[in-house]
Amino acid sequence: MPWWWRGYGLAVTDAVFASREGLLRRSLALVPHAKVQSVRLVQGPWQRLWRLADVHVDTGADKTVTARLRDAEEAAELLRSQAERSRTGRRDALPDRWMA
């Protein structure tokens, strides 16, 4: 595995999907499961060759959080599990204050 792959990280908790990227200047993006609008798997020709894929998690605020360079099978499972977490997160979420 190339050294620059260390710059990408992923964590999923009961409440959020978290993605980290960057070696020298790290950034962390968090998305609550209830705020996820869509989840998609993206795999270009070089990624197919290396059996890698990216998982994009889109929010309602026109933001996308990406889990980059995941193993293709892991990415497919992440896609399925995140879609389920998003469905249950929206179902179980309390209404926002503006809706009250």
Side-chain angles (χ1 to χ4, degrees):
M1 182 157 41
W3 61 272
W4 49 267
W5 280 9
R6 295 170 146 215
Y8 298 114
L10 168 71
V12 180
T13 68
D14 291 339
V16 297
F17 178 92
S19 176
R20 173 186 51 90
E21 61 181 56
L23 278 173
L24 301 176
R25 184 177 167 173
R26 295 205 171 177
S27 64
L28 177 68
L30 303 169
V31 179
H33 297 308
K35 298 294 182 183
V36 172
Q37 296 293 317
S38 66
V39 183
R40 56 197 160 92
L41 188 132
V42 176
Q43 191 179 39
W46 289 108
Q47 288 176 317
R48 266 191 291 286
L49 179 68
W50 289 93
R51 293 190 177 111
L52 300 172
D54 296 340
V55 177
H56 296 270
V57 176
D58 301 313
T59 69
D62 285 335
K63 301 287 182 195
T64 299
V65 176
T66 305
R68 295 190 190 283
L69 301 176
R70 311 310 295 178
D71 177 74
E73 290 179 18
E74 175 194 351
E77 177 56 34
L78 180 62
L79 177 77
R80 285 188 290 277
S81 62
Q82 183 58 43
E84 182 60 30
R85 278 191 293 274
S86 299
R87 270 192 296 277
T88 58
R90 283 190 301 273
R91 184 188 65 216
D92 298 340
L94 297 173
D96 289 334
R97 271 191 263 154
W98 64 270
M99 292 179 70

